[in-house]
Amino acid sequence: MIGRPTAVALIAAGVVLTATALILPWYSTIYAGDVEVVVRAWGTEVVHKPGDWPAGELSPWYGVPIAITAAFLTAGIWINRAALAGAAAQLGAVGIITVLTISERGHAVEQQGDFAIGYGLVFLAAGTLVALTGAIAAQKEAR
Amino acid sequence: MKLLSAALLALAAAAAVTATFLPFSELLIKLAPDQPQTAYVTTGWSTYFGATKDVHAPLFGIPIAAAAAATLAGIRWRKVAFAGAAALAGVAGMLFVYLLNAISFHKTGNIAIDPSLEAGFGNGIWVLIGATVLAFGAVVVHPDD
């Protein structure tokens, strides 16, 4: 067993990584003419937007479910059960984000775009796994 | 209580898997004012634009099926049932936000041009949310390990 202090430290590290992921870019695609579409937790930014760009920008609220699970993880520093709920829910949300990103990459490559994963998604995946490890360890300690 | 929680968990897992085959969102789209309406339907395993299949469709069914499997494993362990229910809540919440975006994007883009076009949630998302509620109900009546 890794001990309660280590489990709590892992959960806290998961919270910090997740919070960082809510700020950093998740993925971006560069198209011809230096047009870049950057997707973050709180919106899509089009750099060098051409005049004929399709109407309406996706302004995702992807950050909302992640902010909620991060709040559960934060509570999980004191309450074991909240950590488990937050980590499991965040893993589920990351699952949806993963299949969505694979799909977006497919569409981008099909349109000759240069697709790149941002640090936000890397931090989100790392934060989720670290927090899940901590949450499971905290559960085992509780017995 | 053991039997009741097992039945509820099995039902929740079955409902979640069923949801992946139902439409999550249904959008009626016109690419140009003089073109016919085309339905854009997303399920857990495919996205169709009219009769055309999107080869890069997001496979939402995979994380949903994984969460359903965890929920089913929860028949044996209460904590796994709790984690499975939370995972279902996570996939349902994230999917809901994605669909909400897609629908509102469609409304500001297409429906502003032609008010006869429609966009809305399909039954799949409601079945998935129902499965989440069932799973949490099963956790409540699940006897302790």
Side-chain angles (χ1 to χ4, degrees):
Chain A
M1 290 303 117
I2 64 171
R4 166 105 191 135
T6 314
V8 170
L10 285 173
I11 296 166
V15 171
V16 174
L17 285 167
T18 304
T20 315
L22 286 172
I23 304 164
L24 295 172
W26 283 12
Y27 56 88
S28 84
T29 313
I30 301 173
Y31 295 99
D34 258 357
V35 182
E36 185 177 10
V37 183
V38 185
V39 177
R40 289 166 195 270
W42 308 106
T44 305
E45 188 194 352
V46 185
V47 186
H48 302 301
K49 186 176 171 179
D52 60 349
W53 193 259
E57 275 171 38
L58 269 179
S59 42
W61 294 91
Y62 293 157
V64 174
I66 301 299
I68 294 170
T69 57
F72 270 93
L73 285 179
T74 309
I77 292 172
W78 298 277
I79 309 157
N80 287 346
R81 191 169 283 198
L84 185 60
Q90 192 161 306
L91 188 66
V94 167
I96 294 288
I97 295 168
T98 305
V99 295
L100 195 57
T101 308
I102 292 168
S103 156
E104 294 283 288
R105 184 189 173 275
H107 289 139
V109 169
E110 195 178 71
Q111 292 164 40
Q112 269 90 51
D114 192 1
F115 185 89
I117 292 279
Y119 279 109
L121 277 190
V122 177
F123 279 48
L124 184 62
T128 306
L129 293 179
V130 169
L132 187 67
T133 309
I136 292 170
Q139 286 294 325
K140 287 185 173 166
E141 282 301 317
R143 288 193 186 171
Chain B
M1 289 312 252
K2 179 74 191 162
L3 205 63
L4 177 62
S5 81
L8 284 175
L9 286 170
L11 195 61
V17 171
T18 307
T20 64
F21 296 100
L22 298 172
F24 286 130
S25 64
E26 294 164 299
L27 315 174
L28 285 176
I29 290 178
K30 263 189 191 178
L31 293 176
D34 54 341
Q35 283 193 359
Q37 291 183 5
T38 310
Y40 189 90
V41 180
T42 301
T43 73
W45 306 105
S46 69
T47 295
Y48 276 92
F49 181 67
T52 315
K53 188 175 181 179
D54 178 358
V55 289
H56 301 295
L59 296 175
F60 294 126
I62 296 172
I64 296 171
T71 306
L72 203 59
I75 291 176
R76 174 66 183 78
W77 300 282
R78 185 175 200 265
K79 279 173 182 170
V80 175
F82 180 65
L88 275 180
V91 289
M94 196 72 222
L95 183 59
F96 189 82
V97 168
Y98 164 75
L99 295 172
L100 207 57
N101 274 318
I103 291 166
S104 76
F105 178 76
H106 177 59
K107 280 188 173 158
T108 51
N110 290 286
I111 297 184
I113 301 166
D114 182 350
S116 74
L117 297 177
E118 287 170 14
F121 289 105
N123 285 328
I125 189 72
W126 309 128
V127 174
L128 185 60
I129 291 170
T132 308
V133 174
L134 276 178
F136 274 110
V139 173
V140 172
V141 299
H142 203 305
D144 282 326
D145 293 331

